[in-house]
Amino acid sequence: MSDVEERTYRVDLMTRVEGEGRFVLSMKDGQVVDAALSIFEAPRFFEAFLRGRGAEETIDIVARICGICPVAYQVSASRALEQAFGVTLTEPVRALRRLLYCGEWIESHALHVFMLHAPDFLGYPSAVEMAADHRAVVEQGLRLKKAGNAILEQLGGRATHPVSPRIGGFHRAPRKGELAALREQIARGLDECLETVRWAAGLDAPDFTQPYVFVALDDTRYPLESGDRILVSDRDPVSVDDWGETIDEHQVPHSNALQARLPGGVAYLSGPMARLHFHAERLHPVAAEVMREVGLGRSEQNPYRSIVVRAVEMAHAFAEARDILDAYIEPEPPFVKSAPRAGVGFGASEAPRGLLWHRYEVDAEGLIRDARIVPPTSQNQARIEEDLRGLGPTLAAMPHADATHLCEQLIRAYDPCISCATHFLDLRIEEGA
């Protein structure tokens, strides 16, 4: 009879994540032998859909990749095509685009903090069950999310898949008088968000740290919608134009999403913790103050504490949105005109979940000849699996159900958007002679 102990922790359908995936963690004699985040949602082939379509259509098409972060896709695509067409935004248009991005950060971070991740800390299977005992918490989350949606509706025409963004700016910019009610809503939301940071910092997070290689966009401000180079821990910065050649994207047997790694097979972390690590001094003073108040350091290494980092970033987005509204100058015209020309453009922005990179090749008529999109979840997927491996020694001493839940909570800490990650599959059809 063998004395070898084998354990498998497995959840076949992850809940409270966007999209469909499973994880399997196998251990033998206390050692992890396999850790896999399996993304089995059907590929969506967005890059293929874009070929032959007009550049302006691209902005609306890529928004459909995600219902939670469509603005991130629109902005990364706009930046890439603006580079290809030689477009430089005016300052009022830049400010309006940043305000739109703040709206997306607010609604996405509120969704994750309150509805997707908080139930793990408070011991509930979902926000619905949590609301029975913590109604005030759930209602606060809904109000904050509604405030973010209000920005998207005001600037983008609607909260889901906005229709106003375009290459060079917006189809329409709001009148200053139309923003008065929104400004009041954002100011109230900022106060509630600061309370959210204090509440999140008081949650009991599992004791677990990892030595992360952080990756985040660089900018003169806290990075959201712009930046021309990418910072990597202990390595030289990489220009946005070169990022696609720097990382190694490859397919693994258990996933319909590509995994990205740095040279040498190094997994890396993109998202709130990476942004804070590189740019804590660029937070809005209001967010920086509450960060100090709750004792959050700039280089958080515990993924379960990312809920606090997200709350701080949400406070930053609220404060920036308020300031932009106070200084609002209506862009006239609301977009910078452009003329199609053949070329290649690269663009990146910081989606709520992390770095979102686009590359487009266009012809002289402005039609897309080739497209490549690298979403945040693809970039974080290898790092999630490394974290699961790191949990192994902790899991061995836990009851099976508790250990399985700890793995689920870890994956949810990344706020993975699985549907975003499965837009691409390298499909080759070999025909016989």
Side-chain angles (χ1 to χ4, degrees):
M1 181 176 178
S2 173
D3 293 329
V4 174
E5 182 184 25
E6 297 185 12
R7 296 186 181 189
T8 298
Y9 306 97
R10 178 189 188 101
V11 171
D12 284 326
L13 185 60
M14 290 282 298
T15 58
R16 283 185 275 131
V17 295
E18 207 288 318
E20 297 175 345
R22 73 166 68 91
F23 81 86
V24 178
L25 179 65
S26 301
M27 299 182 63
K28 186 175 181 180
D29 275 349
Q31 301 296 316
V32 176
V33 294
D34 186 32
L37 174 62
S38 301
I39 293 177
F40 54 82
E41 188 162 321
R44 299 167 70 196
F45 303 113
F46 266 93
E47 284 96 338
F49 297 156
L50 290 169
R51 292 174 193 148
R53 307 303 293 262
E56 198 62 61
E57 289 181 290
T58 300
I59 310 306
D60 292 326
I61 293 172
V62 297
R64 270 64 180 180
I65 292 176
C66 185
I68 300 173
C69 53
V71 170
Y73 282 91
Q74 291 179 310
V75 169
S76 289
S78 295
R79 286 182 54 78
L81 292 166
E82 286 158 4
Q83 184 192 60
F85 297 157
V87 174
T88 301
L89 301 188
T90 63
E91 281 305 315
V93 168
R94 280 170 53 90
L96 201 60
R97 180 176 284 179
R98 190 165 178 87
L99 177 58
L100 183 72
Y101 219 98
C102 285
E104 180 157 283
W105 267 30
I106 292 169
E107 66 87 14
S108 180
H109 279 355
L111 172 68
H112 182 257
V113 167
F114 288 96
M115 309 302 165
L116 304 182
H117 209 190
D120 282 326
F121 291 91
L122 299 179
Y124 295 89
S126 75
V128 174
E129 286 88 348
M130 190 175 76
D133 298 325
H134 299 277
R135 178 170 178 168
V137 170
V138 173
E139 288 183 342
Q140 182 173 327
L142 291 174
R143 282 193 298 275
L144 295 180
K145 188 176 189 310
K146 188 175 181 180
N149 285 346
I151 296 176
L152 299 179
E153 290 165 356
Q154 189 75 63
L155 273 61
R158 61 191 190 193
T160 303
H161 306 146
V163 293
S164 185
R166 56 163 295 164
I167 297 171
F170 293 80
H171 289 289
R172 177 188 181 276
R175 307 293 184 194
K176 190 172 180 66
E178 296 172 359
L179 299 175
L182 178 63
R183 198 277 180 197
E184 294 305 311
Q185 187 175 9
I186 296 304
R188 290 195 302 273
L190 175 57
D191 291 339
E192 282 201 290
C193 189
L194 296 178
E195 289 303 316
T196 298
V197 176
R198 299 179 183 108
W199 168 79
L203 296 173
D204 187 17
D207 184 14
F208 174 69
T209 59
Q210 288 286 278
Y212 289 114
V213 173
F214 293 120
V215 167
L217 199 58
D218 192 20
D219 197 7
T220 55
R221 303 172 293 180
Y222 199 83
L224 283 89
E225 87 293 356
S226 63
D228 294 324
R229 66 176 192 167
I230 295 166
L231 302 179
V232 183
S233 296
D234 301 322
R235 300 189 186 209
D236 293 334
V238 180
S239 75
V240 168
D241 295 11
D242 293 336
W243 186 244
E245 300 303 317
T246 300
I247 57 174
D248 171 32
E249 272 196 299
H250 60 277
Q251 193 167 9
V252 293
H254 56 269
S255 178
N256 282 347
L258 298 180
Q259 284 194 10
R261 291 179 181 265
L262 292 167
V266 176
Y268 58 93
L269 176 70
S270 175
M273 286 168 43
R275 292 190 290 256
L276 190 70
H277 169 77
F278 287 117
H279 302 295
E281 70 280 2
R282 293 173 181 165
L283 282 171
H284 190 282
V286 173
E289 176 58 32
V290 76
M291 176 181 159
R292 285 191 291 271
E293 177 188 327
V294 301
L296 179 67
R298 67 181 301 155
S299 298
E300 180 60 57
Q301 304 282 333
N302 182 344
Y304 295 100
R305 294 264 294 168
S306 64
I307 190 172
V308 189
V309 182
R310 275 194 172 80
V312 169
E313 283 199 333
M314 187 162 46
H316 173 88
F318 266 110
E320 268 227 58
R322 182 199 59 186
D323 290 356
I324 294 171
L325 288 167
D326 285 343
Y328 180 66
I329 298 174
E330 182 184 335
E332 184 58 49
F335 63 92
V336 178
K337 292 183 179 179
S338 60
R341 67 185 189 191
V344 178
F346 305 85
S349 66
E350 282 286 348
R353 292 156 188 81
L355 184 68
L356 172 58
W357 184 87
H358 288 219
R359 175 193 178 277
Y360 297 98
E361 181 181 348
V362 294
D363 65 17
E365 296 180 347
L367 300 179
I368 303 296
R369 295 179 56 86
D370 191 34
R372 183 182 174 193
I373 299 172
V374 184
T377 297
S378 289
Q379 303 195 64
N380 281 330
Q381 189 182 349
R383 187 58 252 182
I384 294 173
E385 293 181 349
E386 294 287 336
D387 278 9
L388 288 170
R389 290 179 179 277
L391 266 183
T394 301
L395 303 179
M398 298 176 65
H400 191 90
D402 293 346
T404 303
H405 178 262
L406 196 63
C407 294
E408 279 191 274
Q409 185 178 358
L410 171 66
I411 295 170
R412 276 193 285 270
Y414 279 81
D415 193 17
C417 190
I418 290 171
S419 295
C420 283
T422 54
H423 63 97
F424 183 88
L425 181 67
D426 187 10
L427 178 63
R428 294 186 175 88
I429 300 176
E430 297 181 0
E431 297 182 353

